[in-house]
Amino acid sequence: MGKSRLEAFSDGVLAIIITIMVLELRVPHGDSLATLHGVLPVFLNYILSFLYIGIYWNNHHHLLHTVHRVNGGILWANLHLLFWLSLFPFVTGWMGENHFAAMPTALYGCVLFMAAIAYSTLQWTIIATEGKTSLLARAVGKDIKGGLSLLGYAGGIALAFRLTWAAQALYVVVALMWLVPDRRIERTMSKEPQSK
Amino acid sequence: MGKSRLEAFSDGVLAIIITIMVLELRVPHGDSLATLHGVLPVFLNYILSFLYIGIYWNNHHHLLHTVHRVNGGILWANLHLLFWLSLFPFVTGWMGENHFAAMPTALYGCVLFMAAIAYSTLQWTIIATEGKTSLLARAVGKDIKGGLSLLGYAGGIALAFRLTWAAQALYVVVALMWLVPDRRIERTMSKEPQSK
Amino acid sequence: MGKSRLEAFSDGVLAIIITIMVLELRVPHGDSLATLHGVLPVFLNYILSFLYIGIYWNNHHHLLHTVHRVNGGILWANLHLLFWLSLFPFVTGWMGENHFAAMPTALYGCVLFMAAIAYSTLQWTIIATEGKTSLLARAVGKDIKGGLSLLGYAGGIALAFRLTWAAQALYVVVALMWLVPDRRIERTMSKEPQSK
Amino acid sequence: MGKSRLEAFSDGVLAIIITIMVLELRVPHGDSLATLHGVLPVFLNYILSFLYIGIYWNNHHHLLHTVHRVNGGILWANLHLLFWLSLFPFVTGWMGENHFAAMPTALYGCVLFMAAIAYSTLQWTIIATEGKTSLLARAVGKDIKGGLSLLGYAGGIALAFRLTWAAQALYVVVALMWLVPDRRIERTMSKEPQSK
């Protein structure tokens, strides 16, 4: 029931999140190269957040591909994920405007952490609906990548107050880990007779 | 005629409303935990409004599922609902920035009240089109939940100037009441032979 | 070729225009009823603009319903219409913030006028593609309503500097004229054997 | 796999980019014609950027029409293109607010250049997936128009610091070159037996 509207709504929210983040790049006063300097940290952070939203959209796209029936649990688990992702523009702006200071770096990690928890929740809600022998359950397996990400974000939060740059490096490393495309669902599917 | 575009447009508007509310979370100056303090009331209010828009999207999704023909009345009743929902970012920001003062709390209740009226109007417009023996008419029944919500919002507006916290608690309680998923339409449908 | 993407893109743009207009309702400082007073003119103007975008979405929806083939001309005529509609948030904000002063009222009329011209252009471009004996050509006929609207907007621009309130009244009257639903296309269609 | 969601997401992002650019047209204080004067450069630049996003949407629409299978490479090449296009509101605002000064004009050219590179990358990624004898490969051919555009943007960046107006004229000329609709894909397709 209504999987296409769930996808359309999620696509809409993700498209808006990824685009309004650019509004945090405030147009500077003055026309010299130096005035751009103040925008640079927000810009660098914008690239990282753009990457993360892109990764979430990509994975969300694969995840919903495996869903046959949408129920109330999936709807709310999905909204819960969108809630945490909707905080990206705020934490991206705060971290960028304060030139990657410790506290904003830690908060950025918290939002990354909670979004990852919400994604896992959505994943397990779908598996609970589709059954443990479902395509998704086999594709996800032990979800090592998801566990590593949570560790990375937690490490980043812990490091933020001592080695702030190391926390930021961890966030970048986790993003790059996801950029390597997640072929698990595609691979498991290609072994199946297609039902579409 | 054109139900899919009505859904797409509504999804678009709801996705934007739920996302631009986060723009009211203004990035604070300063990088300490204390500077986040000023944002906290807007954030708490953002959670409540996110929940409400999520509930409306969820219910709207079920409501339109029962529609077979879209006519001018349904189009305008739908736009009327979207109008009141579009005021959420404004009242959310005003209530949050004034730390839940009395007047913004009352106005928030007014918008909740008007949105609920608009949702009922849409519901009855659809029933008038589909017929009193339609799926939706039987599923909605006497619409006790809708009536209780209106009472809750009206109570909140009345309480806002005496017991402001009680008004806010009422808004939260009504939201939680709706979080319990509305199985009426799903239940009535599952008793039917599916026509799709 | 690609009519559904044309509709989806237009729906997206119209949904965003109708929603970001609310961002011109700046959250006021202070929590008394009096502080809301300053927002009132923008709010009243927001209602009018919301109505106009709703009318355009409604008519656009009917218009594209008659299209069978999308070509470059239709794509650009459609973008031209979206361009003028995208100026609604700006002129709405300017007119509202200046409490319906003469110059903003005239500019609002200019944008209404140009949007109406762009809508007619799109209409004639579609008729040129579909043929003069097409469904749309017969439904539109002499387009008296379109002509009256142009007259109304032109009258509003002329009146703005003398009787500003009369100009605004004209804009409201034209909007109400369109609220009476445009049954021409629906009526003409119902006489046809459906091909769909 | 999932071409429709790729289109829906891209449509969403492009619709938002083209619409939030208008937020850079800040509502001026004062109600005289003179106050509009300050907004004029941003407005002129808005028209140019609207045209460019329109061209990209149009071409993207044709490009994806030729795609049969979506893979990770295409997803990320598409996101890369959307990233550069998402910077349009920022550079449009910066160039407009500084009345077309040299540095913002050069930066505008850089974003145009990078977006064109990203578009080519997407094109070649699709051709690599679909095969060198595919419809798209034959339609694109040597892509002279794409090459000329890159030359135009590079020329604009070089000229920005000497003949700023000439740089801007180059950007306009390249846009007009694309307005002449790109019939290559349509033409090549019409020679084919349709498989749809």
Side-chain angles (χ1 to χ4, degrees):
Chain A
M1 176 171 183
K3 173 175 148 184
S4 63
R5 271 197 80 181
L6 187 69
E7 289 183 332
F9 183 72
S10 308
D11 279 347
V13 172
L14 290 173
I16 298 157
I17 292 171
I18 216 170
T19 321
I20 65 172
M21 276 194 302
V22 89
L23 293 178
E24 300 295 339
L25 280 178
R26 310 236 175 257
V27 172
H29 296 290
D31 62 357
S32 68
L33 196 58
T35 58
L36 273 190
H37 229 80
V39 183
L40 193 67
V42 185
F43 180 64
L44 290 177
N45 215 19
Y46 174 60
I47 296 176
L48 182 61
S49 296
F50 193 98
L51 219 56
Y52 266 113
I53 300 289
I55 289 164
Y56 270 104
W57 177 74
N58 202 334
N59 289 348
H60 189 264
H61 168 95
H62 281 85
L63 192 58
L64 282 191
H65 202 76
T66 66
V67 172
H68 295 95
R69 295 184 298 125
V70 172
N71 55 26
I74 293 175
L75 282 180
W76 283 105
N78 190 59
L79 273 168
H80 181 231
L81 172 61
L82 295 179
F83 173 77
W84 290 107
L85 296 179
S86 80
L87 297 177
F88 265 71
F90 176 77
V91 291
T92 301
W94 202 43
M95 186 167 156
E97 279 191 16
N98 291 291
H99 299 71
F100 306 106
M103 181 61 72
T105 301
L107 190 75
Y108 192 85
C110 290
V111 169
L112 283 176
F113 188 87
M114 291 309 298
I117 293 281
Y119 186 83
S120 288
T121 309
L122 175 59
Q123 196 167 261
W124 300 118
T125 309
I126 292 173
I127 288 177
T129 309
E130 299 279 323
K132 287 206 173 164
T133 57
S134 68
L135 170 63
L136 181 63
R138 276 173 295 141
V140 168
K142 292 188 179 160
D143 198 12
I144 296 169
K145 234 173 168 180
L148 278 179
S149 305
L150 284 175
L151 268 181
Y153 304 144
I157 300 168
L159 281 172
F161 298 99
R162 298 171 201 198
L163 287 164
T164 312
W165 65 267
Q168 284 138 12
L170 260 175
Y171 303 154
V172 173
V173 166
V174 174
L176 294 180
M177 180 180 84
W178 282 101
L179 268 190
V180 182
D182 193 349
R183 292 263 159 76
R184 289 175 299 175
I185 291 177
E186 281 181 49
R187 219 184 302 127
T188 315
M189 286 193 87
S190 62
K191 290 179 197 157
E192 301 269 311
Q194 294 286 325
S195 60
K196 168 92 196 184
Chain B
M1 174 172 186
K3 172 175 148 183
S4 63
R5 272 197 79 181
L6 186 69
E7 289 183 333
F9 183 72
S10 306
D11 279 346
V13 172
L14 289 172
I16 298 157
I17 291 172
I18 216 171
T19 321
I20 64 171
M21 275 195 302
V22 90
L23 293 178
E24 300 295 338
L25 280 177
R26 310 237 174 255
V27 173
H29 296 291
D31 63 358
S32 68
L33 197 58
T35 57
L36 273 190
H37 229 81
V39 183
L40 193 67
V42 184
F43 180 64
L44 290 177
N45 214 18
Y46 174 60
I47 296 176
L48 182 61
S49 295
F50 193 98
L51 220 56
Y52 265 113
I53 300 289
I55 289 164
Y56 270 105
W57 178 73
N58 202 334
N59 289 348
H60 189 263
H61 168 95
H62 281 84
L63 191 58
L64 282 192
H65 203 75
T66 66
V67 172
H68 295 95
R69 294 185 296 126
V70 172
N71 56 25
I74 293 176
L75 281 181
W76 283 105
N78 191 58
L79 272 169
H80 181 231
L81 173 61
L82 295 179
F83 174 77
W84 289 106
L85 296 179
S86 80
L87 297 177
F88 265 70
F90 176 76
V91 291
T92 302
W94 202 43
M95 187 167 156
E97 278 191 17
N98 291 291
H99 298 72
F100 306 106
M103 181 61 72
T105 301
L107 191 74
Y108 192 85
C110 290
V111 169
L112 283 176
F113 189 86
M114 291 309 297
I117 293 280
Y119 185 83
S120 288
T121 309
L122 175 59
Q123 196 166 260
W124 300 120
T125 309
I126 292 174
I127 289 177
T129 309
E130 300 279 322
K132 287 207 173 164
T133 57
S134 68
L135 170 64
L136 181 63
R138 277 172 295 142
V140 168
K142 291 187 180 160
D143 198 11
I144 296 169
K145 234 174 168 180
L148 279 178
S149 304
L150 284 176
L151 269 180
Y153 305 144
I157 299 168
L159 280 170
F161 298 99
R162 299 171 199 197
L163 288 164
T164 313
W165 65 266
Q168 285 139 12
L170 260 176
Y171 303 154
V172 173
V173 166
V174 173
L176 294 179
M177 181 180 83
W178 282 102
L179 268 190
V180 182
D182 194 349
R183 292 263 159 75
R184 288 175 298 175
I185 291 176
E186 282 181 49
R187 218 185 303 125
T188 315
M189 286 193 86
S190 63
K191 290 179 197 156
E192 301 269 312
Q194 294 286 323
S195 60
K196 170 93 197 184
Chain C
M1 175 170 184
K3 172 175 149 184
S4 63
R5 272 197 80 182
L6 187 69
E7 288 183 334
F9 183 73
S10 306
D11 278 347
V13 172
L14 290 172
I16 298 158
I17 291 171
I18 215 170
T19 321
I20 64 172
M21 276 195 302
V22 89
L23 293 178
E24 300 295 339
L25 280 177
R26 310 237 175 255
V27 172
H29 296 290
D31 63 357
S32 68
L33 196 58
T35 58
L36 273 190
H37 229 81
V39 183
L40 193 66
V42 184
F43 179 65
L44 290 177
N45 215 18
Y46 174 60
I47 296 177
L48 182 60
S49 296
F50 193 98
L51 220 56
Y52 265 113
I53 300 289
I55 289 164
Y56 270 104
W57 177 75
N58 202 333
N59 289 347
H60 189 264
H61 168 95
H62 281 83
L63 191 58
L64 281 191
H65 203 75
T66 64
V67 172
H68 296 94
R69 295 184 296 128
V70 172
N71 55 25
I74 293 175
L75 281 180
W76 283 105
N78 191 58
L79 273 168
H80 181 230
L81 173 61
L82 295 179
F83 174 77
W84 289 106
L85 296 179
S86 79
L87 297 177
F88 266 70
F90 177 76
V91 291
T92 302
W94 201 43
M95 186 166 157
E97 278 191 16
N98 290 291
H99 298 72
F100 305 106
M103 181 62 72
T105 301
L107 191 74
Y108 192 84
C110 290
V111 169
L112 283 176
F113 188 86
M114 291 309 297
I117 293 281
Y119 186 82
S120 288
T121 309
L122 175 59
Q123 196 167 261
W124 300 119
T125 310
I126 292 174
I127 289 178
T129 309
E130 300 278 323
K132 286 205 173 165
T133 58
S134 68
L135 170 64
L136 181 64
R138 275 172 296 140
V140 168
K142 292 187 180 161
D143 198 11
I144 296 168
K145 236 174 167 178
L148 278 178
S149 305
L150 285 176
L151 267 180
Y153 304 144
I157 299 168
L159 281 170
F161 298 100
R162 299 172 201 196
L163 287 165
T164 313
W165 66 267
Q168 284 139 12
L170 259 175
Y171 302 155
V172 173
V173 165
V174 174
L176 294 179
M177 180 180 84
W178 282 102
L179 269 189
V180 181
D182 194 350
R183 292 263 159 75
R184 288 175 299 175
I185 291 176
E186 282 181 48
R187 218 184 302 126
T188 315
M189 286 192 86
S190 62
K191 290 179 197 157
E192 301 269 313
Q194 294 286 325
S195 61
K196 174 77 198 195
Chain D
M1 176 169 185
K3 172 175 148 184
S4 63
R5 270 197 82 183
L6 187 69
E7 288 183 334
F9 183 73
S10 307
D11 279 346
V13 171
L14 290 173
I16 298 157
I17 292 172
I18 216 171
T19 322
I20 63 171
M21 275 194 303
V22 90
L23 293 177
E24 300 296 339
L25 280 177
R26 310 237 175 256
V27 173
H29 296 290
D31 62 358
S32 67
L33 196 58
T35 59
L36 273 190
H37 230 79
V39 184
L40 192 67
V42 184
F43 179 64
L44 290 177
N45 214 19
Y46 174 60
I47 296 176
L48 182 61
S49 296
F50 193 98
L51 220 56
Y52 265 113
I53 300 289
I55 289 164
Y56 270 105
W57 177 74
N58 202 333
N59 290 348
H60 189 264
H61 169 94
H62 281 84
L63 191 58
L64 281 191
H65 203 76
T66 66
V67 172
H68 295 94
R69 295 184 296 126
V70 172
N71 56 25
I74 293 175
L75 282 179
W76 283 106
N78 191 57
L79 273 168
H80 180 231
L81 172 62
L82 295 179
F83 173 77
W84 290 106
L85 296 179
S86 80
L87 297 177
F88 266 70
F90 176 76
V91 290
T92 302
W94 202 43
M95 186 167 157
E97 279 191 15
N98 291 292
H99 298 72
F100 306 106
M103 180 62 71
T105 301
L107 191 74
Y108 192 84
C110 289
V111 169
L112 283 176
F113 188 87
M114 291 309 297
I117 293 281
Y119 186 83
S120 288
T121 308
L122 175 59
Q123 196 167 261
W124 300 119
T125 309
I126 292 175
I127 288 177
T129 309
E130 300 278 324
K132 287 205 173 166
T133 57
S134 68
L135 170 64
L136 181 63
R138 275 173 296 143
V140 167
K142 292 187 180 162
D143 199 12
I144 295 168
K145 235 173 166 180
L148 279 179
S149 305
L150 284 175
L151 268 181
Y153 304 144
I157 300 168
L159 281 171
F161 298 99
R162 297 170 201 198
L163 287 165
T164 314
W165 65 268
Q168 285 140 11
L170 260 175
Y171 302 155
V172 173
V173 165
V174 173
L176 294 179
M177 180 180 84
W178 282 101
L179 268 189
V180 182
D182 193 349
R183 292 263 159 75
R184 288 175 299 174
I185 291 176
E186 280 182 49
R187 218 184 302 127
T188 315
M189 285 193 88
S190 63
K191 290 179 198 157
E192 301 269 311
Q194 294 286 324
S195 60
K196 170 86 198 188

